[in-house]
Amino acid sequence: MTVPGSLAAMGRPERSRPAQAVTAVAAEAGVSKVTVYNHFGSKEALFIGVVKDSLDAPLGGTLADAVARLADSDDLRESLIAAARAWVAGIRTNPEILALRNVVARELHRFPELGKGWHDAGPERHHPAVAGALRQLVAQGRLDVPDIEVAVLQLSSLLLFPHLVFSAYGTDIDDGLADRLITGGVDMFLGHYAPRHTEP
């Protein structure tokens, strides 16, 4: 039994509890709630399973491809903007993942493992790929990044956090502002980490 179809229902506050998750999954699968209980064992296990099973869906290969091309790009700014747009689109074009993030935030005090699931499989799972690309750019002398971990967190904060914050209050960012945040964030990032050429 797979459960990602219940994600949209779980994203609504009135259905983002284990008991409501059972009803949503049973309706989506076309089975009884008893069948769902027998499969997962408990309401809590189902709730955790729905969240973890759904985390991977909105984040596909487009971003991975864009990140992989960074080190070979002739125009680093344009390539980083393309990668940033793919990263942001993974959230903006999939409202379910924003709803899911809000579910995780609401239920974290009862299900601490949801936080680890979000970290391991949510938007942050791309951090190692981005870190690898930055290391290559540093090795090529195209960027000067003394702390890769900090740099990746800074970049993801510039690109993703505005959307996460707005979604937490039930609003979103329009297309024009979203693109200005991307281009401005990339310019700020590249400006900060541009190679420092010293005089001989």
Side-chain angles (χ1 to χ4, degrees):
M1 180 183 296
T2 59
V3 295
S6 65
L7 176 56
M10 284 184 58
R12 296 196 291 271
E14 69 273 17
R15 292 191 179 180
S16 61
R17 295 293 186 270
Q20 287 81 11
V22 172
T23 301
V25 171
E28 180 70 24
V31 299
S32 69
K33 289 194 286 186
V34 172
T35 300
V36 174
Y37 279 122
N38 288 340
H39 183 79
F40 287 96
S42 70
K43 292 181 292 187
E44 290 74 16
L46 164 66
F47 189 77
I48 293 167
V50 169
V51 171
K52 290 186 175 180
D53 193 55
S54 302
L55 276 166
D56 279 331
L59 302 169
T62 303
L63 174 57
D65 292 342
V67 170
R69 290 193 295 267
L70 285 175
D72 298 324
S73 171
D74 293 330
D75 189 329
L76 179 56
R77 179 180 183 272
E78 287 304 312
S79 293
L80 187 54
I81 287 174
R85 284 174 175 151
W87 202 354
V88 172
I91 289 180
R92 294 192 76 231
T93 61
N94 291 278
E96 290 89 355
I97 199 170
L98 293 175
L100 178 59
R101 185 261 184 189
N102 293 334
V103 168
V104 171
R106 282 196 300 270
E107 298 299 319
L108 191 59
H109 67 290
R110 294 198 298 150
F111 305 112
E113 54 268 58
L114 290 182
K116 185 177 187 305
W118 173 265
H119 183 274
D120 290 346
E124 292 185 8
R125 74 185 175 103
H126 293 295
H127 285 189
V130 176
L134 292 181
R135 288 189 182 95
Q136 286 183 286
L137 292 167
V138 169
Q140 294 171 356
R142 301 174 72 183
L143 290 178
D144 182 4
V145 183
D147 190 326
I148 295 290
E149 183 179 15
V150 168
V152 174
L153 287 171
Q154 288 170 335
L155 183 60
S156 65
S157 297
L158 286 168
L159 299 176
L160 302 182
F161 277 20
H163 301 279
L164 299 179
V165 171
F166 272 59
S167 75
Y169 297 99
T171 59
D172 55 20
I173 295 174
D174 64 58
D175 292 345
L177 178 55
D179 207 59
R180 296 200 306 276
L181 285 168
I182 289 170
T183 56
V186 167
D187 286 340
M188 186 180 299
F189 184 84
L190 291 178
H192 182 71
Y193 288 113
R196 304 315 195 246
H197 298 293
T198 59
E199 295 295 329

